[in-house]
Amino acid sequence: MLLWENYSPLERFIIETACNLMDVPVDKIIDNSKNRKVVTAKALIARVLSEQSYSSAEVGKVLGVSQRMAYEYIHSHENRMADGMYGFNYNKIIGILKHTSEESSDISQVVDNMNSRVSRLEQRVNHLSKLILE
């Protein structure tokens, strides 16, 4: 059974997205399954995590496989891209991640703008308080 508290939000997002695209139950990711869809989902997850600066050892821990197996999943990417299902789903995951990161950067920009407005308002309040007290 997959215990979500052992995974970061990014790992959870990537696992859930890959499993949804491949129509694989999330719990199957840590099983030692030879099912083609499960293996393809693991390869997708491994490659995307490696592109997020995860090492083979870290990918192995996420997938519940050895570092060597994680390395194989990561470096089989070019060969797997010839498979239409893998290539389509890989591009879809990358697109979803880009869209999500754009949205979160927009949100962080809005938060930064709000923080600067609050800061300016605090300066004005402090200035007015000094004027009133004088």
Side-chain angles (χ1 to χ4, degrees):
M1 184 173 162
L2 202 62
L3 299 174
W4 281 125
E5 57 267 8
N6 296 335
Y7 296 90
S8 73
L10 176 65
E11 293 165 353
R12 280 183 248 160
F13 182 76
I14 292 170
I15 291 169
E16 287 178 332
T17 303
C19 287
N20 286 336
L21 290 173
M22 294 300 302
D23 195 29
V24 171
V26 174
D27 289 343
K28 295 287 184 192
I29 290 302
I30 58 169
D31 288 348
N32 192 16
S33 176
K34 303 281 189 222
N35 179 290
R36 183 172 184 233
K37 283 185 169 185
V38 174
V39 171
T40 302
K42 285 182 177 184
L44 285 167
I45 294 164
R47 182 59 184 207
V48 172
L49 286 173
S50 75
E51 291 174 0
Q52 299 294 320
S53 302
Y54 278 63
S55 69
S56 295
E58 292 169 324
V59 170
K61 287 179 185 173
V62 169
L63 295 176
V65 298
S66 68
Q67 180 179 354
R68 181 176 177 270
M69 195 67 226
Y71 180 88
E72 292 297 323
Y73 283 138
I74 294 166
H75 294 286
S76 66
H77 174 72
E78 294 303 321
N79 291 336
R80 289 180 187 273
M81 284 300 280
D83 175 13
M85 178 176 60
Y86 177 90
F88 175 79
N89 288 318
Y90 171 76
N91 289 328
K92 195 150 186 140
I93 288 175
I94 295 303
I96 290 168
L97 282 173
K98 283 182 183 175
H99 180 71
T100 304
S101 68
E102 287 171 4
E103 284 180 356
S104 66
S105 68
D106 289 345
I107 290 171
S108 62
Q109 186 175 7
V110 168
V111 170
D112 288 344
N113 289 342
M114 294 296 284
N115 284 337
S116 66
R117 287 180 178 173
V118 168
S119 177
R120 281 183 278 161
L121 285 172
E122 286 175 342
Q123 289 173 350
R124 289 178 183 166
V125 167
N126 288 338
H127 176 72
L128 289 173
S129 296
K130 286 180 184 177
L131 291 175
I132 291 172
L133 293 174
E134 290 179 356

